[in-house]
Amino acid sequence: LPTIRNEDLCLANMSAMNRFDVLNEQVLQQRGGSPIRIDIEGADQLHLSRPDVMLEAATTSFQLHLQVPFEQAGRYYNASLISCAPLLAAAVNSPLLFGQRLWQETRVPLFEQSVELGGYNGLAEPTLRRVTFGRGYVAGSLLELFEENLEHYPVLLPMPQTEPAARYPHLRLHNGAIWRWVRPLIGFDAAGLGHVRLEQRVLPSGPTVLDMIANAALYFGLVHALAQPPGALETELPFAMARDNFYAAARHGLQAELTWLDGRRYTARELNLEIGLPLARQGLRDFGLSDAEIEHYLGVVEARVRSGQTGAAWQLQRLAQVDGDVHRMMDDYLDNQRAG
């Protein structure tokens, strides 16, 4: 929430789950006891240090899961990475922290810094972080990511598991403490049949339930359309560009400049209107949604993008109108949320 205070984020307010106690303890232990340092610059600047991981409580996200056939999962994973930037740019809703105007989606740098850990060699290798966009596309299979987990990341949660080995409890626990912005998951249905899911973690919660379902429609349609062409998209957009696009979208929202598969540079607003939304519409049709339902949800995104009125833009505009009174801004935000 924009009204959260640094003093609210104390261990006394931590959820009463053993997992979180252990997580806090292990993160600090693997950092050699050094405090968590936050350094985020936007219109304002935030520099602080903390002796615990409680800043993670200010990074609430809206996480979407997409179950995919195993043989297609690599394509969908790479398409999900490519989709991150236009998706996030259209949905930014976290421009404030402790009264400071920072990134359009401040959750991104905050989460990366609030549990900053590297691999077996600590922070020495820049591409190895616990919260990460990743080190590259997968070449063929999601198994590459689980092998990367094993090879590069020490166990963070040393907890005994009682599930049978056939359900991969240790693999799943270890993977759950590596927070890729697009994370592969192995799960089991009620009948015990295994499956693969992709967890798209870039989206913020809010501003309204309708906005969140509209964002989900944009992701599911866009990623499906991007995963369908016979050629591999990753040959058209180098991974470094997809990663740069993501951080530009988090920092600047719809004003971000993004490089697309055609090699052209677009503002995120232009990219969504000219390419992203038409692709998402086609993807949702392929999934079998009716045109009326598609327009109901993607129409919300299109109106938001055309007007430039993301949740982040609204918060900053309203904050200026009420002379920086974040509580009054938040009251107005909630009134609008309840009214739809």
Side-chain angles (χ1 to χ4, degrees):
L1 288 171
T3 49
I4 201 167
R5 302 168 302 175
N6 195 17
E7 55 265 35
D8 295 323
L9 300 177
C10 59
L11 290 177
N13 287 335
M14 182 185 279
S15 299
M17 289 178 64
N18 187 47
R19 175 189 174 98
F20 294 137
D21 281 330
V22 173
L23 180 67
N24 184 63
E25 170 194 300
Q26 292 293 314
V27 166
L28 295 173
Q29 181 176 311
Q30 291 196 19
R31 288 178 59 85
S34 65
I36 304 292
R37 300 195 182 280
I38 303 299
D39 186 355
I40 306 173
E41 295 192 7
D44 302 319
Q45 299 181 358
L46 181 67
H47 307 291
L48 57 87
S49 65
R50 289 193 56 92
D52 52 50
V53 299
M54 285 299 289
L55 283 163
E56 194 182 341
T59 63
T60 305
S61 55
F62 175 47
Q63 296 163 13
L64 302 173
H65 288 208
L66 178 64
Q67 187 172 321
V68 290
F70 181 76
E71 65 277 6
Q72 297 177 40
R75 296 294 308 278
Y76 274 91
Y77 175 78
N78 294 343
S80 288
L81 291 178
I82 291 168
S83 76
C84 280
L87 176 67
L88 181 59
V92 288
N93 192 39
S94 310
L96 298 163
L97 184 63
F98 305 151
Q100 306 301 305
R101 299 162 299 165
L102 303 170
W103 289 20
Q104 292 284 293
E105 194 51 46
T106 302
R107 282 175 42 255
V108 169
L110 183 64
F111 191 23
E112 292 191 350
Q113 295 177 29
S114 65
V115 284
E116 188 176 33
L117 289 174
Y120 281 106
N121 296 320
L123 300 173
E125 190 172 342
T127 61
L128 283 174
R129 291 294 184 271
R130 285 280 176 169
V131 185
T132 178
F133 192 72
R135 309 180 79 205
Y137 297 121
V138 299
S141 165
L142 287 189
L143 291 179
E144 297 162 33
L145 299 174
F146 293 103
E147 290 166 354
E148 184 177 287
N149 291 356
L150 185 64
E151 180 179 353
H152 292 291
Y153 293 99
V155 170
L156 190 60
L157 296 172
M159 301 164 71
Q161 300 297 300
T162 57
E163 280 190 280
R167 292 178 68 91
Y168 310 114
H170 297 92
L171 177 148
R172 289 158 55 207
L173 180 68
H174 185 41
N175 186 59
I178 300 166
W179 297 278
R180 292 179 175 87
W181 287 109
V182 177
R183 181 161 63 181
L185 298 173
I186 291 175
F188 294 85
D189 64 19
L193 188 66
H195 62 254
V196 173
R197 302 193 310 278
L198 296 177
E199 182 182 49
Q200 176 55 277
R201 303 171 55 84
V202 305
L203 289 169
S205 55
T208 67
V209 172
L210 176 58
D211 282 302
M212 294 164 72
I213 303 305
N215 292 340
L218 178 61
Y219 169 61
F220 291 133
L222 181 57
V223 74
H224 185 60
L226 289 173
Q228 295 312 303
L233 293 180
E234 53 271 26
T235 63
E236 300 175 36
L237 185 71
F239 175 78
M241 286 187 179
R243 182 181 56 210
D244 290 347
N245 283 349
F246 169 62
Y247 289 107
R251 188 184 289 270
H252 301 296
L254 288 172
Q255 281 69 53
E257 292 216 343
L258 309 177
T259 302
W260 194 239
L261 300 166
D262 55 9
R264 285 182 53 196
R265 297 274 287 173
Y266 299 82
T267 65
R269 182 178 181 275
E270 293 167 339
L271 179 59
N272 271 297
L273 290 175
E274 296 176 24
I275 299 173
L277 281 161
L279 281 174
R281 286 186 169 95
Q282 184 57 53
L284 292 177
R285 286 190 196 101
D286 291 346
F287 272 135
L289 271 72
S290 69
D291 284 346
E293 191 169 15
I294 291 169
E295 290 311 311
H296 177 64
Y297 292 112
L298 291 188
V300 170
V301 178
E302 181 170 348
R304 191 196 301 152
V305 172
R306 285 193 184 282
S307 67
Q309 189 77 296
T310 60
W314 185 91
Q315 288 180 52
L316 293 171
Q317 178 184 347
R318 188 62 183 144
L319 192 67
Q321 292 169 347
V322 296
D323 298 323
D325 186 339
V326 69
H327 295 282
R328 184 174 168 194
M329 182 277 287
M330 197 66 211
D331 283 343
D332 294 341
Y333 179 105
L334 292 171
D335 284 343
N336 286 346
Q337 186 185 78
R338 293 184 190 107

